[in-house]
Amino acid sequence: MRAQATEFLRALRRHRESGASGASGAAAPGGGTGAGASAPGRAAPPADDVDAVRALRRAARRISGTLHTFQPLLDASWAEEMRPELAWLSGTLALEHAYASRLERLLQALHRLSGSAAFPAPRPVGRAAATVPAGVPAPARPASPDRGSLTVGAAKAGALLDRQLTLARTRAHSTALQALGSSRFHAVADKVALLASEVPLRATGRPDRGPAPAASASGPGTAPFDLRPLAAAAEERLTDAVTALPLVAAGSPYNAQALVHGLSPDPAPHPQDAPWHQVRLLLRLHRYALEALAGADTGDTGDSGDTEAAVDVRLLAAGEALDRHRDASEAAAAAAQAARTPRIAPATAYALGVLHADQRHEVEAARYAFQHSWRKEPIRLP
């Protein structure tokens, strides 16, 4: 946790330095700058600022995950107050990039399905946003043979998605600007700065769990705590959640039931996706717990290379599959929401329906990849 707090402070310093250079767009209240790419019509932020915001989000997410797993060892009031603030920060900073990536995914899928070159090119995301000069048109897409009625509606479908998701991205950008300049963010940064020097442990001593102490939860001069029982509990929660998944259906190349809800007029999230999203979160917590154990065994020096070397390759592959699952399910939901826009042309609605079905097939492919990776024997990096 102290190492991640240090990474958070480094990213915050880089973010402030890039904001002070004046190379990014409009400054936020309190001297903050934008997160990710800037809104349309503004200069793109420098790559250092984009990377700094991404590092802020990653460090906040890791600290929050560690707090969730090892909360019984920490001061209860501090942990309960800190976790929701870190979740708010990481979630707020992730929105803009999520909308931009979703738009790029959907436009690329439309191009692949229809071969049309008429719909808008995706706006650059992350580092690419800082390297593309303003006003330079995107390279033309190669023409493809006409694919009938799908090609007719692809251009309007792409324009509709671009309009809706760009608006959502702009609002997320403004929200991130306000968050990074708010007193709430500065309060979180102050608490993380204290965390970098000392982890607030429980004052009542070691909880009655597990065998004798084996790993230290804080720095020198503090009583060691055994992290292994809580890490094992995180792994057990993950195993139980995976056991509850319909892996039999995921082992088939096609799951017809996955399309029934998405093609209905019900705008609620897909009922089959929630358990998979939960497994993705639990898998991330399990990985963070393993990294915390590895960091404690190496003296918590803050060297991320030692902790990454202990990561299970199977967990990495399973996590990548669940990330693709999340991206495809959210993209399918965005296509379905666009198809519910009033008074759109039938060809546009048809193209969006095909796009939705394509993304749901991507969801099933990701589930198949997950169950294929999960059932392999654990392999650790050398």
Side-chain angles (χ1 to χ4, degrees):
M1 288 179 63
R2 290 163 51 218
Q4 291 302 327
T6 303
E7 290 297 324
F8 183 96
L9 296 177
R10 282 185 193 147
L12 179 58
R13 183 170 59 251
R14 288 171 51 198
H15 170 69
R16 288 174 174 170
E17 290 173 354
S18 62
S21 66
S24 63
T33 57
S38 62
R42 298 179 182 175
D48 288 343
D49 189 41
V50 174
D51 293 340
V53 172
R54 185 180 296 114
L56 271 175
R57 184 176 73 241
R58 181 172 59 248
R61 187 175 63 232
R62 287 177 177 271
I63 296 173
S64 177
T66 306
L67 287 177
H68 181 276
T69 301
F70 300 107
Q71 184 169 352
L73 301 178
L74 305 170
D75 181 78
S77 60
W78 177 85
E80 291 174 359
E81 182 180 357
M82 191 68 171
R83 274 185 53 204
E85 296 301 296
L86 291 170
W88 160 77
L89 177 61
S90 60
T92 301
L93 297 182
L95 280 178
E96 182 183 0
H97 183 269
Y99 284 124
S101 300
R102 197 171 306 158
L103 175 60
E104 182 179 12
R105 180 186 186 93
L106 288 170
L107 292 184
Q108 288 179 350
L110 268 177
H111 176 61
R112 171 172 48 84
L113 293 169
S114 67
S116 172
F119 52 83
R123 288 177 170 81
V125 181
R127 183 180 295 273
T131 58
V132 179
V136 176
R141 300 175 184 271
S144 301
D146 186 16
R147 301 189 184 183
S149 57
L150 178 59
T151 305
V152 174
K156 291 185 177 181
L160 178 60
L161 289 168
D162 181 77
R163 184 166 60 252
Q164 292 183 349
L165 291 177
T166 300
L167 177 60
R169 177 186 178 183
T170 304
R171 290 174 176 170
H173 175 78
S174 299
T175 302
L177 284 175
Q178 295 174 3
L180 291 175
S182 65
S183 58
R184 184 179 182 182
F185 169 73
H186 291 300
V188 174
D190 291 341
K191 292 179 181 178
V192 174
L194 295 176
L195 178 62
S197 59
E198 182 180 1
V199 178
L201 300 172
R202 278 188 183 274
T204 55
R206 185 170 63 90
D208 297 330
R209 297 190 61 172
S216 175
S218 185
T222 59
F225 292 106
D226 192 1
L227 305 181
R228 293 173 299 183
L230 295 176
E235 182 178 8
E236 183 179 356
R237 288 192 294 268
L238 171 63
T239 303
D240 293 341
V242 172
T243 303
L245 290 176
L247 291 182
V248 175
S252 303
Y254 180 76
N255 179 12
Q257 294 180 352
L259 292 176
V260 173
H261 178 84
L263 297 176
S264 70
D266 184 5
H270 201 289
Q272 289 191 7
D273 293 342
W276 295 86
H277 295 333
Q278 180 67 14
V279 167
R280 176 177 171 272
L281 295 177
L282 293 175
L283 178 61
R284 175 182 291 174
L285 293 176
H286 175 51
R287 285 179 50 205
Y288 293 167
L290 293 180
E291 292 175 3
L293 289 179
D297 292 339
T298 57
D300 197 14
T301 60
D303 186 1
S304 59
D306 294 337
T307 58
E308 290 177 358
V311 173
D312 192 337
V313 176
R314 182 186 65 152
L315 296 182
L316 290 176
E320 291 175 356
L322 292 177
D323 287 342
R324 294 197 304 270
H325 176 276
R326 187 265 324 264
D327 295 341
S329 64
E330 292 179 348
Q337 181 179 2
R340 297 185 183 99
T341 303
R343 298 183 299 277
I344 60 174
T348 305
Y350 172 73
L352 290 170
V354 173
L355 181 61
H356 172 270
D358 173 76
Q359 292 304 301
R360 292 309 306 180
H361 284 303
E362 293 290 336
V363 168
E364 293 306 313
R367 292 178 182 178
Y368 179 81
F370 170 80
Q371 66 89 23
H372 184 71
S373 301
W374 185 259
R375 291 178 176 177
K376 287 183 178 179
E377 292 294 328
I379 301 176
R380 295 192 175 271
L381 293 173

